[in-house]
Amino acid sequence: MANGPAETDSRPDTRPPQGVFASHAMQRVLRIATEAAPSGIPVLITGESGTGKEVLARIIHDRSGRPREQFIPYNCTGTTPEIADSQLFGHRRGSFTGASDNALGVIRSAHGGTLLLDEIGELDLRIQPKLLRMIENQEVQPLGQPRPSKVDVRILAATNADLDEMVRDKRFREDLLYRLNIIRIHIPPLRDHREDIVPLVMLFLRRYAGEQNKKEIRLSGDAIQQLLERDWPGNIRQLANEIRRLVAFAKDGTLITPDDLAQSTASTGLPRSENGAGARSSRDTVTISADQPLPAALEEMERALIIRALLAAGGRLNAAAGRLGVSRKGLLLKRRRLNIDALLASK
Ligand SMILES: Nc1ncnc2c1ncn2[C@@H]1O[C@H](COP(=O)(O)OP(=O)(O)OP(=O)(O)O)[C@@H](O)[C@H]1O
Ligand SMILES: [Mg+2]
């Protein structure tokens, strides 16, 4: 059988996810996203600010089989309904004063691919019926164009607003919510999946040290413990920014201690962890989800300890093995078995 031309960019992405999905809760999020990806059905992604809604939307797109570069995010915030209308649906030249050229609009420019409607709760009520028609009929009618044009666009929507409440308050159309809400994926706040904090720290340390050309930057056990105990109201984005800042101020070979964190705690107004006299020994604690079978819980604990030792040793295997009381070879084998490198796959 003759081989056809390679269509590399329209095959679903089977690489490890771009990001950290180590905890039970985030593995579940990733599993639902992966299952939903090829279907073409709208997906509504909800979660607080900075939890990774756009990251997840991209993963859904990458695993959908649609051409990889054809992912268009559109932010529904902060524009007039007239501008949103023409940005989304396009217009014909001369269709209103100032329309000096034809405009394709983001929906048609996403043809064949995926459109992420970010902050969908901000979409003006006057535009919502037009979007509903587009989703129902897979066609758009640009301003000034006599007939609608057919489009093939996968719709993803993201929001940190409570759309159900907005429907009750008549600020969001119920029929549109039904259309968008066929599959809903909620990403929990970081404080509810703290098991991901250490792998995230490791990923961000590697990323920002690489970007800023810094070498051997490590965190002390106490510093890691403090990061584990914070509430992170700005979620993963806030953690990423914190690590970026720490790396920016660190010299090659620095061991970051709780003192280095204290400054940012003061500046962001976050609660300090309470490790007063008599409190449990902070550096010897790992947090794992109790809601899982014993073998999975043991694996999670092993993974958390290994990642933490690697982090404290600045990624040096011998030193990490020494801390854990295992041989270098044993650590390498465990790292492979527990899939630690794949979990830490960076962007
Ligand atoms: N699972 C993850 N692994 C690694 N990094 C992540 C993950 N999720 C989010 N991030 C990082 O956190 C930051 C925020 O992610 P993202 O923009 O997707 O959040 P969001 O939920 O869309 O936020 P907002 O509501 O403010 O728009 C980005 O820098 C992103 O790369
Ligand atoms: Mg976002």
Side-chain angles (χ1 to χ4, degrees):
M1 194 174 74
N3 281 331
E7 290 180 4
T8 43
D9 68 351
S10 63
R11 277 187 215 142
D13 195 343
T14 50
R15 292 172 304 173
Q18 302 200 316
V20 168
F21 292 85
S23 66
H24 218 47
M26 289 301 272
Q27 279 180 10
R28 184 167 173 272
V29 161
L30 183 64
R31 194 173 59 244
I32 301 171
T34 305
E35 282 167 10
S39 70
I41 298 172
V43 179
L44 177 62
I45 305 169
T46 63
E48 289 179 10
S49 181
T51 48
K53 297 184 291 297
E54 186 161 346
V55 166
L56 195 71
R58 209 169 229 298
I59 290 174
I60 295 175
H61 170 70
D62 286 347
R63 296 178 172 204
S64 70
R66 290 175 175 252
R68 197 160 294 154
E69 66 288 349
Q70 203 57 343
F71 174 79
I72 313 263
Y74 176 79
N75 195 311
C76 303
T77 318
T79 165
T80 65
E82 292 74 23
I83 293 174
D85 190 332
S86 107
Q87 285 177 339
L88 281 167
F89 303 98
H91 62 248
R92 293 287 288 243
R93 186 174 160 200
S95 57
F96 55 88
T97 323
S100 52
D101 278 310
N102 290 337
L104 196 59
V106 291
I107 295 176
R108 281 186 297 171
S109 64
H111 182 65
T114 303
L115 175 66
L116 167 63
L117 296 167
D118 211 352
E119 315 284 0
I120 185 79
E122 300 286 323
L123 189 69
D124 194 277
L125 268 171
R126 285 164 283 179
I127 309 290
Q128 292 181 18
K130 213 165 161 179
L131 178 64
L132 178 66
R133 273 200 304 280
M134 180 262 138
I135 297 172
E136 282 178 341
N137 307 328
Q138 287 283 301
E139 55 186 32
V140 282
Q141 186 150 17
L143 273 174
Q145 183 176 297
R147 283 156 184 260
S149 318
K150 276 284 171 201
V151 280
D152 163 26
V153 175
R154 167 65 164 303
I155 299 288
L156 304 177
T159 183
N160 58 14
D162 183 342
L163 291 184
D164 302 300
E165 188 185 302
M166 289 184 73
V167 165
R168 281 195 294 278
D169 296 347
K170 307 240 175 305
R171 286 181 292 140
F172 200 85
R173 289 183 67 110
E174 188 170 23
D175 46 11
L176 179 58
L177 180 57
Y178 279 145
R179 280 286 166 182
L180 296 172
N181 195 23
I182 301 173
I183 300 171
R184 186 186 298 211
I185 306 181
H186 179 70
I187 309 184
L190 185 55
R191 61 186 170 280
D192 290 345
H193 59 103
R194 292 176 194 270
E195 307 92 290
D196 288 306
I197 290 177
V198 170
L200 281 165
V201 168
M202 204 157 165
L203 167 67
F204 295 141
L205 259 187
R206 217 173 47 194
R207 180 182 301 165
Y208 298 129
E211 274 176 25
Q212 300 174 32
N213 227 340
K214 304 259 174 102
K215 292 185 183 57
E216 301 223 356
I217 296 175
R218 295 168 298 140
L219 274 95
S220 75
D222 285 343
I224 295 167
Q225 192 59 36
Q226 282 214 4
L227 296 179
L228 277 166
E229 288 176 3
R230 285 196 187 171
D231 270 344
W232 301 112
N235 297 294
I236 297 180
R237 176 178 295 112
Q238 188 186 8
L239 178 60
N241 287 340
E242 173 69 348
I243 302 300
R244 184 191 278 135
R245 188 192 67 83
L246 288 166
V247 170
F249 285 112
K251 297 194 182 68
D252 289 357
T254 297
L255 179 71
I256 293 167
T257 65
D259 283 348
D260 301 312
L261 302 177
Q263 219 182 344
S264 78
T265 306
S267 65
T268 56
L270 292 178
R272 293 290 306 264
S273 59
E274 291 162 9
N275 282 321
R280 69 204 147 99
S281 158
S282 62
R283 80 160 58 98
D284 301 327
T285 317
V286 291
T287 320
I288 61 159
S289 160
D291 176 28
Q292 55 185 328
L294 187 59
L298 290 173
E299 257 194 20
E300 192 177 329
M301 190 158 71
E302 244 187 323
R303 188 180 289 122
L305 287 169
I306 290 173
I307 289 173
R308 180 142 8 143
L310 283 167
L311 194 59
R316 284 169 312 177
L317 271 179
N318 284 338
R323 279 170 177 270
L324 292 163
V326 297
S327 67
R328 185 176 192 277
K329 185 158 179 234
L331 179 57
L332 268 173
L333 289 173
K334 277 184 192 296
R335 235 172 55 160
R336 201 168 308 145
R337 180 171 62 79
L338 297 168
N339 213 12
I340 285 172
D341 295 335
L343 283 175
L344 300 174
S346 64
K347 290 188 128 176

